[in-house]
Amino acid sequence: MTITHHPDDDVLAAYAAGTLDDGSAFVIAAHLAMCGACRSAVRDFECIGGVLLGETEPSRLGRAHDGAVMQELAAPQELRRKLAVTTAPDTAVDNLISIFGQSSWKWRGFGVHSADIGVPVDNGMRVFLLKAAAGTRMPQHTHSGVELTLVLKGAFQHEFGRFEPGDIEMADGDIDHRPIVDAGSECVCLVAMNGRLQLHGLVGRLLQPFVRI
Amino acid sequence: MHGPGSGPLEFLGSRLARRRMSKDSEKQKQARDQARLIADVAMRKDRQAFVSLFGYFAPRIKSLLMRGGAPAEMAEDLAQEAMISVWRKASCFDPARASPAAWIFTIARNLRIDVARRSQREKVYAVLETVEPDGPEQPDAIITASQRESKVREALNILPPEQLEVVRLAFTEGMSQSEIAEALKLPLGTVKSRTRLAMTRLRQKLEEVR
């Protein structure tokens, strides 16, 4: 798998710092499962946390805690549910979905279905799977918020490039695009987004009331 | 005329460089010692080794969590919890992949996410931990975790102050980009671009050893 579109470094840094919102963190985690280069970058960035932790002025520990901690060490370890180890992107996302749950597919207009993922939202970020039939032409649109799209299956392209499995697209109000799904196969994406799609053109404006993405 | 390297400034410069170097090798030795302690915990359930790790890291994790907004008592409880995780997960620690401080930072980070009542997200990170690398993870075999740490430290040392500031606020205060933008009264885009510049600097430093 050759991945050409990666998240921006500031997003990977926020992921490493643990400050990304849940929805984006979910999509980034799924991308990392597929992308060795970005996993490696996150590991480098986590090292910043290590260096700064080492430089942090230590706080005095207030209470007598040694006893309690030592007791805890002796306690039997709870068995953590071991998730299937996988390299296949589909399975990595399946793992995530098996934890968070997925609603059934719903029709969203223009050959597109979506299914919500039960990731708790903050910042109004929603996470869902998007499935578009082969050859679907989405209307020209932009976004009222931000959108992270990770391709899981199939491919689409638009003015800014071609997106295949593992590729991630970051779009916001500055990006105005018109994705076209490859003719050969349906396309399934994992999406985190806040705000709404904003359609352009006469047809778009007529469609807007019916579009629920 | 002084020859190169013989003037007082050059002399001072080389002394400073040596001092910096020795500080760096001290840090590297500390990291190696800590890695050995974690290995002792993993292999022999060595409590003495754990107590040493606890003594160094617990007070620092407490500070980190307090900076992230946790009250002192909660920060202390969580620091203990983080260290108990260190005890339990010691066998997962891979010294080739992370320095002890970086590894323990990720444990504290995931706890901090809990503090922010975003407990579900820890699951996202947990999934990531269990996912095996797909394809090569960059030629990391040739760079050790302690080399990486010292390069990251170097990069942080030479960051322009405005870049270091946004990096610190994210990694030690646990602030999101929009929180940083608000705190510094900067446009969100500026926080993002400063972070990206800082990460580019870091990547360049790491390239030197890759």
Side-chain angles (χ1 to χ4, degrees), chain A residues 1 8-23 25-26 28-30 32-66 68-78 80-89 92 95-96 99-100 118-120 122-123 170, chain B residues 27 45 47 50-51 54 56-64 66-67 73 76-77 79-80 83-84 87-89 96-99 101-102 104-106 109 112-113 118 120-138 140 145 148-149 152-153 156-157 164 167-168 170-172 174-178 191-193 195-196 199-200 202-203 206 210:
Chain A
M1 185 164 43
D8 291 337
D9 271 357
D10 65 275
V11 176
L12 293 179
Y15 183 90
T19 61
L20 211 53
D21 66 277
D22 289 334
F26 184 93
I28 295 299
L32 293 174
M34 302 178 208
C35 180
C38 287
R39 260 201 317 280
S40 178
V42 165
R43 183 167 318 145
D44 291 343
F45 299 167
E46 283 172 349
C47 202
I48 299 172
V51 169
L52 295 180
L53 176 65
E55 287 175 6
T56 302
E57 204 57 43
S59 287
R60 184 190 293 274
L61 296 181
R63 284 166 287 145
H65 46 266
D66 290 5
V69 172
M70 286 304 169
Q71 215 165 5
E72 193 78 31
L73 298 188
Q77 296 197 14
E78 57 186 289
R80 208 177 181 151
R81 188 160 67 107
K82 190 81 184 161
L83 295 152
V85 169
T86 175
T87 59
N95 274 342
L96 289 163
I99 293 176
F100 291 96
V119 178
D122 59 8
N123 292 345
M170 310 188 50
Chain B
K27 288 277 179 194
K45 293 278 163 212
R47 289 182 174 228
F50 178 76
V51 169
F54 191 98
Y56 181 81
F57 283 108
R60 289 177 167 80
I61 297 171
K62 181 182 175 186
S63 299
L64 192 78
M66 284 173 70
R67 286 175 165 214
E73 197 163 317
E76 185 154 336
D77 286 347
Q80 286 182 32
M83 292 312 295
I84 290 165
W87 171 267
R88 291 190 175 155
K89 293 182 176 173
R97 294 168 67 121
S99 67
I104 291 172
F105 168 77
T106 63
R109 169 196 72 190
R112 176 156 71 192
I113 289 166
R118 291 178 280 191
Q120 294 291 316
R121 185 139 37 112
E122 203 204 345
K123 293 182 185 171
V124 174
Y125 288 89
V127 169
L128 189 65
E129 279 171 20
T130 61
V131 173
E132 271 301 296
D134 170 43
E137 196 149 311
Q138 301 305 295
D140 257 10
R148 181 194 292 123
E149 192 173 287
V152 168
R153 185 174 292 113
L156 290 175
N157 280 339
L164 184 60
V167 169
R168 271 189 185 285
F171 281 85
T172 61
M175 289 165 76
S176 71
Q177 290 173 346
S178 34
V191 175
K192 284 173 168 289
S193 60
T195 309
R196 280 199 293 269
M199 297 306 123
T200 303
L202 198 106
R203 282 176 184 272
L206 286 162
R210 283 207 163 113

Side-chain angles (χ1 to χ4, degrees), chain A residues 95-157:
Chain A
N95 274 342
L96 289 163
I97 289 169
S98 75
I99 293 176
F100 291 96
Q102 175 196 334
S103 71
S104 53
W105 291 101
K106 291 189 187 71
W107 185 76
R108 294 300 185 198
F110 37 76
V112 173
H113 288 75
S114 79
D116 287 333
I117 309 281
V119 178
V121 286
D122 59 8
N123 292 345
M125 209 51 140
R126 297 172 294 144
V127 181
F128 53 91
L129 289 167
L130 196 71
K131 183 167 71 178
T136 302
R137 289 164 172 269
M138 302 274 285
Q140 183 88 28
H141 68 269
T142 181
H143 304 268
S144 64
V146 294
E147 181 193 50
L148 288 177
T149 304
L150 173 71
V151 182
L152 302 176
K153 182 184 169 195
F156 67 84
Q157 55 189 327

